[in-house]
Amino acid sequence: LVDFTEALAFALQANEMTGHKNTNYLTALAKAYHATGNFPTAVETQQRAIDLLPPEAPTRTLFEETLSEYRQALMSTETPMG
């Protein structure tokens, strides 16, 4: 079992220690936000990680695919039930 609340706390600490400049830590933080249901912040954080990547970074495609998943989750929570 994974305790995503604890994972979020560790990811926040890691990002604070690195000045929010490590793309791997940022994407881990975004995942923790997503897992705890904070979809807007997950999208924002994942976008920040992408913005720090050089265009030719091998992880760019994966990070962008992840961002797309987070955006879909966000949109599904914003869609009114009717």
Side-chain angles (χ1 to χ4, degrees):
L1 292 168
V2 176
D3 180 348
F4 290 112
T5 303
E6 188 173 350
L8 178 59
F10 284 127
L12 281 166
Q13 184 178 21
N15 276 281
E16 288 171 10
M17 291 172 59
T18 59
H20 300 274
K21 300 289 183 193
N22 182 303
T23 57
N24 290 320
Y25 290 165
L26 281 168
T27 201
L29 179 59
K31 182 174 184 133
Y33 280 130
H34 181 262
T36 57
N38 189 341
F39 303 128
T41 307
V43 168
E44 178 184 311
T45 304
Q46 188 68 17
Q47 184 63 61
R48 195 173 327 135
I50 292 168
D51 292 345
L52 290 173
L53 290 173
E56 69 283 352
T59 55
R60 179 173 280 280
T61 299
L62 176 62
F63 280 25
E64 289 172 345
E65 289 170 356
T66 302
L67 177 60
S68 178
E69 291 174 26
Y70 295 167
R71 284 183 173 150
Q72 288 176 353
L74 176 61
M75 289 188 317
S76 72
T77 62
E78 292 179 344
T79 303
M81 296 289 194

